[in-house]
Amino acid sequence: MFQGEKDVHEVFHLVAQEIASAEKPEKRKAVEAEFYDAMVDGRFIPAGRILANARPDSPMKNYNNCFTIDIEDSMNGIYDSLKEDALISKMGGGVGFDASKLRPKGDALSKGGEASGVVSFLRIFDQSAKTIMTGGQRRSAHIALLDISHPDVEEFITIKQGDSNKELTQFNISVKITDEFVRAVKSDGPWDLVFGGRVYRTVRARDLYNLLAENAFLHNEPGIFNTDLVEKSNNGSWSFRMDRVNPCGELVMPPYSLCCLGAVNLPAFIRDPFTAKASFDWEAFRTTVRTGIRFLDDVLDVTAYPLERIETFSKQWRRIGLGITGLGDIFAMLRVKYGEADSLTLADTLGRELRDSSYGASAGLAREKEAFPACETDKL
């Protein structure tokens, strides 16, 4: 077991006890039992840092997997961010950031000389990540994003070539594209590489896209992050942009945010699996979603934070990430063929039920505990 527990039941009891400690004393035991039952039944799976660390007497109180920071285009800004990165890594967290503010290679510096470019500074962060053992157990995972219009984007796209050059081994990388870039690719139009309002070069958009696609095919990177598509679903758009992700890319985030994660385990809701009578228990699913939302919201109050800025933002907005796991398994258990109309309908229904039940649970918590501090109901 993670911290010397004798079995999984003890693990779940201690995790439930620690997370439920955020509740009012009169509710604590009932909520603890609710959390324990959801985990021991296999209906709800907290993320790894929660299962590994969340104990009343744990020496490592970080219960969140990943964090985001920002990097300003100055020497002080870069090394302040490097320190923030190191502090997060020390606590066992992965780090994501957008490097698009950094000036391109060869750009003139205010006190003479030339900028060394985005990739050169990523190498510094990569070396730091190789050096610091996160939580005393592993090396830190990272992801860096760069805008498709940045003058260094071609070097960024091609920097990682697997074992042939072993560059940025602690990083995933992804390119931020826009709907405008997609249109330029489709029309075979030109694309300006711009920084600080100055056009450095103009390239063929399709050539840039082909370079990206070829490197992704050969070396599995970079990924693609469509900022316009993401913003369409940003329910905090009046205050911040969702312009970066955590290292695995499953959660889109603003700067100085965190991944407070858990998953609803879909196979736990199948009745009579693999038979003609197989069915999905929607009411139990909705109940578990409500439990998961409360659980992750409580995590925000009992976890330790690596940076004050991350704690402030997290407690103002109380952003959490509740997802699902086992979708392919339930297709098989329900005898639904992947890709056919029934599978698409089921996936769509699951997404809608997850969304609606999550929002309903969040509204219930607002009635019980007051709305999150940053809530501006006139802008919802």
Side-chain angles (χ1 to χ4, degrees), residues 62 64-69 88 93-96 247 253 257-259 306 310:
N62 170 36
N64 298 289
N65 283 48
C66 299
F67 305 80
T68 56
I69 59 175
I88 292 170
V95 184
M253 306 160 74
S257 186
L258 54 72
C259 296
I310 292 176

Side-chain angles (χ1 to χ4, degrees), residues 296-339:
L296 295 177
D297 184 70
D298 281 348
V299 168
L300 295 175
D301 289 322
V302 296
T303 188
Y305 292 85
L307 304 174
E308 184 178 348
R309 294 177 72 175
I310 292 176
E311 180 174 9
T312 297
F313 183 87
S314 298
K315 290 184 176 179
Q316 281 183 335
W317 284 94
R318 306 196 71 82
R319 298 185 69 247
I320 58 175
L322 181 66
I324 58 173
T325 188
L327 181 62
D329 292 333
I330 69 166
F331 286 162
M333 296 165 82
L334 292 168
R335 304 203 299 185
V336 172
K337 189 173 181 180
Y338 180 87

Side-chain angles (χ1 to χ4, degrees), residues 170-330:
Q170 302 306 116
F171 272 86
N172 293 321
I173 60 172
S174 195
V175 177
K176 296 171 67 174
I177 68 169
T178 61
D179 290 344
E180 182 184 4
F181 176 73
V182 173
R183 289 190 293 268
V185 171
K186 289 180 176 179
S187 66
D188 197 14
W191 187 253
D192 291 336
L193 301 184
V194 181
F195 187 83
R198 170 189 162 195
V199 177
Y200 283 65
R201 285 185 299 124
T202 299
V203 299
R204 185 174 172 237
R206 193 167 291 180
D207 287 345
L208 196 54
Y209 179 77
N210 287 340
L211 183 68
L212 196 163
E214 179 181 11
N215 221 72
F217 177 77
L218 293 174
H219 306 295
N220 300 314
E221 291 190 81
I224 290 177
F225 179 95
N226 189 321
T227 57
D228 290 331
L229 186 63
V230 166
E231 273 306 301
K232 291 173 184 175
S233 300
N234 180 5
N235 54 14
S237 58
W238 73 85
S239 182
F240 56 79
R241 284 185 61 82
M242 305 277 270
D243 59 357
R244 59 206 70 198
V245 293
N246 67 317
C248 294
E250 75 269 29
L251 193 64
V252 182
M253 306 160 74
Y256 296 102
S257 186
L258 54 72
C259 296
C260 182
L261 303 179
V264 179
N265 183 32
L266 298 179
F269 304 98
I270 301 295
R271 304 292 173 257
D272 301 310
F274 307 107
T275 72
K277 297 190 300 181
S279 63
F280 190 86
D281 190 338
W282 290 104
E283 190 51 46
F285 174 77
R286 297 183 191 104
T287 297
T288 303
V289 170
R290 290 194 291 270
T291 298
I293 293 293
R294 179 181 284 273
F295 182 102
L296 295 177
D297 184 70
D298 281 348
V299 168
L300 295 175
D301 289 322
V302 296
T303 188
Y305 292 85
L307 304 174
E308 184 178 348
R309 294 177 72 175
I310 292 176
E311 180 174 9
T312 297
F313 183 87
S314 298
K315 290 184 176 179
Q316 281 183 335
W317 284 94
R318 306 196 71 82
R319 298 185 69 247
I320 58 175
L322 181 66
I324 58 173
T325 188
L327 181 62
D329 292 333
I330 69 166

